[in-house]
Amino acid sequence: MTHLSRVTGIIYAVISSATFGLIPLFSIPLLESGVGSPTILCYRFLLAAAVMAVVMLMTRRSFKIDRRQLGIVILLSALYAATAILLLESYEYIPSGVATTIHFLYPLAVTLTMSWLFGEKSSVVTYIAVGVSLVGVALLAWGTHSSIYFGRGVTLALMTVVTYAAYMVGVMRSRAARIDSLVLTFYVLVIGAVMFMIYALTTTGIEAIHRWSSWRNLLMLAVICTVLSDFTL
């Protein structure tokens, strides 16, 4: 890996993390306006899948996918969808900043998994960084303990660490690694949209959105926090 490609990769990773971290900015107003989590996630994934389809058409990508790869794509979609709903649900119990910060422990889980299970080299500095990050998140979480539901919120946020780390490792180490990244992202979003549509229809139903401000937040969730974040990732 050249120095330029490494720097480029870091820049993409920063953009991906920053845009993903904006999820509370657009989802909290939707929750406060009375829109349910199933509806938010359904619209978010449907809109994101539509935008990604346009991107694929503009870049002349093929929508074809090997049947043998479909099983792992469905599994990855389930992990990605689980991350989305667990994180959104955690906002109901703990501050969104704390929940999102806890979620961003997932790179540590990915690093440790790749090191312990796949033999990827990790330096002492990496393990020091892991330790410092864990201590920092623990201090942040404990410092905001003011609700009887705090433990539930932290548990939900920690579960996103596991599901998203598993998603990342699966993308890198399964048959999915041989799929074009845009094509993989498109199918993850499409399958996720179907999952959330079924989830919404069997729970709260898909609520109608009447306010422009709500549509704006949904569009931002889809374009910035989902498509742009996944594309740069």
Side-chain angles (χ1 to χ4, degrees):
M1 181 183 295
T2 65
H3 177 71
L4 179 59
S5 62
R6 181 179 177 83
V7 171
T8 303
I10 291 173
I11 291 172
Y12 279 135
V14 169
I15 294 173
S16 178
S17 298
T19 51
F20 191 90
L22 292 176
I23 287 177
L25 180 64
F26 305 115
S27 59
I28 296 298
L30 288 166
L31 291 170
E32 291 178 344
S33 68
V35 183
S37 297
T39 296
I40 293 173
L41 293 167
C42 182
Y43 280 118
R44 173 189 168 187
F45 275 69
L46 280 172
L47 290 169
V51 173
M52 187 59 72
V54 172
V55 172
M56 288 183 61
L57 289 171
M58 291 175 63
T59 56
R60 298 184 179 181
R61 294 295 208 285
S62 171
F63 286 83
K64 291 182 180 180
I65 187 172
D66 193 323
R67 289 182 181 179
R68 293 172 296 180
Q69 298 170 327
L70 186 59
I72 188 62
V73 172
I74 293 174
L75 176 59
L76 291 174
S77 302
L79 289 170
Y80 190 89
T83 302
I85 190 168
L86 289 169
L87 187 59
L88 195 59
E89 289 294 326
S90 71
Y91 295 161
E92 300 280 357
Y93 303 102
I94 58 176
S96 59
V98 175
T100 306
T101 302
I102 292 174
H103 167 73
F104 274 103
L105 287 175
Y106 81 83
L108 309 183
V110 172
T111 298
L112 295 177
T113 301
M114 296 299 291
S115 176
W116 295 346
L117 297 184
F118 298 99
E120 191 173 274
K121 293 182 179 179
S122 296
S123 65
V124 174
V125 174
T126 299
Y127 286 104
I128 293 174
V130 169
V132 171
S133 299
L134 290 173
V135 171
V137 171
L139 291 173
L140 175 66
W142 289 335
T144 57
H145 188 175
S146 59
S147 169
I148 58 174
Y149 298 110
F150 180 80
R152 185 180 299 179
V154 170
T155 300
L156 289 170
L158 285 173
M159 288 172 68
T160 71
V161 177
V162 177
T163 55
Y164 203 60
Y167 169 78
M168 289 297 300
V169 172
V171 167
M172 293 185 290
R173 290 292 179 172
S174 69
R175 289 179 178 177
R178 296 192 289 271
I179 304 174
D180 181 279
S181 58
L182 283 182
V183 176
L184 175 61
T185 301
F186 169 74
Y187 280 106
V188 165
L189 292 174
V190 168
I191 296 171
V194 172
M195 290 178 177
F196 283 125
M197 187 178 295
I198 295 171
Y199 173 56
L201 290 173
T202 55
T203 53
T204 61
I206 301 176
E207 304 165 46
I209 306 297
H210 302 291
R211 297 179 181 177
W212 159 243
S213 59
S214 296
W215 276 114
R216 180 193 61 207
N217 286 323
L218 286 169
L219 284 169
M220 292 300 99
L221 270 175
V223 175
I224 296 178
C225 304
T226 309
V227 173
L228 181 58
S229 179
D230 289 345
F231 181 81
T232 50
L233 185 63

